[in-house]
Amino acid sequence: MKFPRTMRTHCPRCKTHTEFNVSLYKAGKRKAAKQGERHQKVRKRGYGGQKFPLQHNQAKVTKKQSLMLKCGECGYTHQRNGIRLKKVEFE
Ligand SMILES: [Zn+2]
């Protein structure tokens, strides 16, 4: 699906319609020093291995994609609700 690079929509901080820059949400990089990663490392130690089931056979062929909108005037950033898409393009 094609999306515009900029769109005019309501900004809750400016309390009016402004020009927003549109981009695709991407999950942040996993950091080995973070608490959850450290806990998982401890849990996986010794006999027993993996502590929760990993999903191997995926039923879905698409991924939920959500748009990040950044206000051009105040820099306020928010996300649009995710929709299932195979391909995302920006014009
Ligand atoms: Zn704004």
Side-chain angles (χ1 to χ4, degrees), residues 10-58:
H10 184 259
C11 174
R13 198 188 274 173
C14 300
K15 290 177 180 155
T16 180
H17 273 58
T18 55
E19 203 71 35
F20 275 78
N21 292 314
V22 184
S23 61
L24 192 66
Y25 166 79
K26 283 196 179 105
K29 198 181 168 191
R30 310 287 302 240
K31 300 276 163 62
K34 293 291 180 190
Q35 193 181 43
E37 297 287 336
R38 297 199 307 265
H39 282 175
Q40 178 64 354
K41 203 177 163 192
V42 170
R43 293 198 310 174
K44 282 185 85 168
R45 209 160 53 191
Y47 288 111
Q50 183 63 31
K51 301 296 181 191
F52 55 88
L54 289 178
Q55 192 174 6
H56 293 296
N57 42 352
Q58 315 284 356

